Amino acid sequence: MSMETSQQTYTFPKGFWWGSAASATQTEGSVPGDGKGPNIWDYWFEQEPTRFFNGVGPGETSQFYRKYKEDIRLMKEIGHNSFRLSISWSRLLPEGKGAINEEAVAFYNDVINELIANDIEPFVNLYHFDMPMQLQKIGGWVNRQVVDDYVNYATLCFQLFGDRIKKWFTHNEPIVPVEGGYMYSFHYPNEVDFQKAVQAGFHEILSNAKAIQAYKQLKQGGKIGIILNLTPSYPRSQNPQDVEAAEIADAFFNRSFLDPAVKGNFPGKLVTILKKEGFMPHMEEGDLALIKENTIDLLGINYYQPRRVKAKEHMPHPSAPFMPNHYFDSFDMPGRKMNVYRGWEIYEKGIYDILKKIQADYDNIECFISENGMGVEGEERFMDEEGVIHDDYRIEFISEHLKWVHQAIQEGSNVKGYHLWTFMDNWSWTNAYKNRYGFVSVDLQEDGKRTIKKSGHWFQSVSEKNGF
Ligand code: GAL
């Protein structure tokens, strides 16, 4: 299927990274006897299956563990020159530390080699929401011991795979386990405790810096970065109270990780509030210096939706647990364009605004769009007789975002690539298989049969022409 357009308007720089991203827990599944240890998702699903859409857990899902050769062939077919995967910590180290699962080493070696053999550069992320259960039992990210366990795990990964992997990422969206696990109850351990939230976040930041330090010591010659979900904060109006509310939201949700990762320091607005409210994390001597000295080489930006903010209208009950939104309200802008399935606003220009901010305020650090995408429920209704899903809405979504990425490049942004979330339909945490995001559909009724969607064919032509 080719999609000729008469004229190409958007051409990207030579060598632009075209591909997609995925994560271990969402794609691999598990096979009896594979040696994988349980992580928080396996455990939580066992305990409370009803919290997952239609009661579907992470066990079967997309079966990348068995079908990765076929999947990599499909990646090649739809024009990938790069692909991000994550390593499952509890597959490699079933207890989170100690004994290594040799079958996992063989699996990841094989995946990496197969990608390289197909001219697809593997980008490897070390942590994508999947704390080994043994380490969650001692508190997960809230416990400082886990920072050291993580650095040991990261170092093992560098030693095992670093001869071939030249782009590493310490974390994917580190704020999400903080929000899900300790504020809004959509990740295990489902606590509501802002002090723990802050501590978990601080430990993730520390673990990022320590992993960077460990990586640099090995002198493997690659780059190491982090992947952050940046949600540009737009004030309802230019009223100073609205603007201040948006800046506070930005400090909590973007700059909390962006500033330490890129600049090695913390935003003043955030520190002031944490001090005032009595929620500063426990730190040890030398932590701040270590964070200052070990910053990233490369920034991955996940962009899905903006955050619209207005000044606080009603104060929460004085004894309600502290939450960042004690400082702002969200603003449901009338008439905003929505992805109704996911409940997220679609605002394409947001991707440009982020890139401009990175260019202006973060020294134009090398970056790429590491996730962007559209989850849609019930895509089967767009399927033709051959089983191909005609996801024109996804093609439109991607191209409208790419136009803004292109614009930022024209204006000097150092953005190096675009990865869709995601390669194939996968298990999306508590939403399980509700919304589908892939270039490739996966039929759960038919042993995970893969079929390239219209968007996948379209992406092949974009990659081949390096534009559209
Ligand atoms: C991101 C996350 C992915 C995926 C995606 C779509 O926040 O990194 O794992 O779930 O959202 O929901």
Side-chain angles (χ1 to χ4, degrees), residues 308-377:
R308 299 197 184 271
V309 171
K310 61 183 180 184
K312 194 81 198 154
E313 280 172 0
H314 303 288
M315 283 305 152
H317 190 278
S319 57
F322 180 82
M323 291 283 176
N325 70 358
H326 287 197
Y327 281 85
F328 56 86
D329 277 341
S330 53
F331 171 54
D332 296 332
M333 186 177 78
R336 62 205 176 126
K337 177 155 78 162
M338 292 294 290
N339 170 357
V340 290
Y341 311 100
R342 189 63 185 83
W344 285 349
E345 182 181 345
I346 299 175
Y347 182 62
E348 298 88 348
K349 180 173 175 283
I351 209 165
Y352 165 87
D353 290 338
I354 297 170
L355 291 172
K356 294 305 288 178
K357 190 161 232 166
I358 299 297
Q359 181 175 358
D361 298 347
Y362 295 87
D363 213 11
N364 207 9
I365 187 172
E366 183 174 52
C367 65
F368 74 114
I369 303 304
S370 42
E371 284 182 29
N372 175 232
M374 189 183 183
V376 173
E377 189 173 358

Side-chain angles (χ1 to χ4, degrees), residues 21-23 26 84 125 128-129 172-173 176 227 229 302 304 342 344 370-371 373-375 421-422 426-429 431 435 437:
S23 91
Q26 294 178 272
R84 167 164 62 104
N125 169 35
H128 201 124
F129 309 167
N172 174 78
E173 304 187 345
V176 171
I227 288 158
N229 49 321
N302 293 357
Y304 289 92
R342 189 63 185 83
W344 285 349
S370 42
E371 284 182 29
M374 189 183 183
W421 184 268
T422 178
N426 67 27
W427 184 81
S428 211
W429 317 109
N431 274 336
N435 301 315
Y437 291 82

Side-chain angles (χ1 to χ4, degrees), residues 25 36-44 87-91 93-96 126-143 145-147 149-150 153 171 177 182 187-189 200 203-204 207 429:
T25 303
K36 177 180 172 295
N39 64 31
I40 52 175
W41 296 96
D42 304 301
Y43 178 81
W44 187 26
I87 291 177
S88 160
W89 186 349
S90 72
R91 183 182 291 289
L93 296 169
E95 310 269 304
L126 293 165
Y127 189 80
H128 201 124
F129 309 167
D130 52 353
M131 181 61 67
M133 196 56 213
Q134 287 304 325
L135 299 182
Q136 187 61 47
K137 283 186 184 156
I138 60 165
W141 288 116
V142 176
N143 185 343
Q145 170 61 44
V146 170
V147 175
D149 297 336
Y150 167 85
Y153 150 70
H171 287 267
Y182 302 98
H187 281 199
Y188 192 79
H203 283 157
E204 286 180 306
S207 77
W429 317 109

